[in-house]
Amino acid sequence: MLIILVMAFFTAPPPAKVILFYGDSLTAGNGLSVDDAFPALIQRKLTADGKAVKVINAGLSGETSAGGLARLDWVLRQPVDILVLELGANDGLRGLPLDQTEKNLQAIIDKMKAKNPAVKIIVAGMMVPPNMGPDYTTKFQKIFPDLAKKNKAALIPFLLQDVAGNEKLNNPDGIHPNVEGHKIVAKNVLKILEPLL
């Protein structure tokens, strides 16, 4: 009996790594079934590849960096191995102060590291439309690589690369990716995520 227990212990599969996608409507899959949003696509792809992962989609439509910081304690009641931080776009669309956005995102990272110092972090880069003005637009875009560098985090240069501005890949609102768009976003994320597993 003891031998069987010991063998079971050594042959048990490794525990699944928890990947938390923490974001806004882009992560939530606005206008789509949650099964068509990129976090679910990533879960299916990694599972099919034999990776033991548990994906949590904590996307909330309309979420700002301040809102994300406010609800983080509730989300952190479970262990997290990898954080994919996708917040800030709504701050930019509302023209909120950039220093506040950066402080909020940094505070989210700090809280996450305090909970689990070994957590791996991916920062999803975002852009805002040019109508926000060149100064604001440039400084906004710089927040994400700066955060990644400061925190030794991985960076997705632009989450919506090859999707933004393409009407065939977006819902009629022109902002949120459709099913085909989410497939491309999933690939953008996987390029950065897979080496961390």
Side-chain angles (χ1 to χ4, degrees):
M1 182 69 176
L2 181 61
I3 293 171
I4 293 169
L5 286 172
V6 169
M7 285 180 64
F9 177 78
F10 284 109
T11 58
K17 285 194 175 178
V18 176
I19 306 170
L20 174 66
F21 287 88
Y22 199 56
D24 50 36
S25 55
L26 296 172
T27 293
N30 183 274
L32 307 177
S33 157
V34 71
D35 290 335
D36 290 324
F38 74 85
L41 301 180
I42 287 170
Q43 171 80 70
R44 291 201 289 275
K45 168 74 165 63
L46 293 175
T47 300
D49 290 348
K51 302 271 174 46
V53 297
K54 177 187 176 187
V55 164
I56 297 169
N57 184 338
L60 183 64
S61 292
E63 189 73 292
T64 61
S65 62
L69 179 57
R71 70 180 170 108
L72 188 62
D73 288 338
W74 182 80
V75 175
L76 287 183
R77 290 187 295 183
Q78 59 211 333
V80 175
D81 297 298
I82 299 175
L83 166 69
V84 182
L85 182 57
E86 182 275 305
L87 281 171
N90 287 316
D91 298 46
L93 291 173
R94 296 175 190 185
L96 298 178
L98 296 171
D99 61 335
Q100 200 56 54
T101 299
E102 190 161 3
K103 280 179 189 171
N104 290 336
L105 295 175
Q106 182 61 56
I108 290 170
I109 291 170
D110 291 343
K111 275 195 167 193
M112 189 65 70
K113 285 183 173 178
K115 182 80 173 179
N116 175 13
V119 69
K120 294 176 181 176
I121 294 170
I122 300 173
V123 176
M126 295 303 301
M127 298 180 188
V128 288
N131 65 322
M132 300 303 294
D135 186 56
Y136 188 92
T137 304
T138 303
K139 288 178 178 173
F140 177 85
Q141 194 174 336
K142 197 169 178 290
I143 288 173
F144 305 96
D146 285 355
L147 273 174
K149 186 176 180 182
K150 180 180 176 182
N151 293 284
K152 297 183 171 62
L155 174 71
I156 301 165
F158 180 38
L159 183 73
L160 300 178
Q161 184 69 44
D162 301 324
V163 177
N166 185 335
E167 62 182 32
K168 292 179 182 176
L169 298 174
N170 286 277
N171 289 332
D173 65 11
I175 297 172
H176 297 99
N178 59 22
V179 171
E180 292 305 311
H182 271 270
K183 290 177 184 177
I184 295 172
V185 173
K187 288 178 184 175
N188 293 342
V189 176
L190 279 165
K191 280 180 201 169
I192 309 301
L193 175 61
E194 284 188 296
L196 301 183
L197 294 171

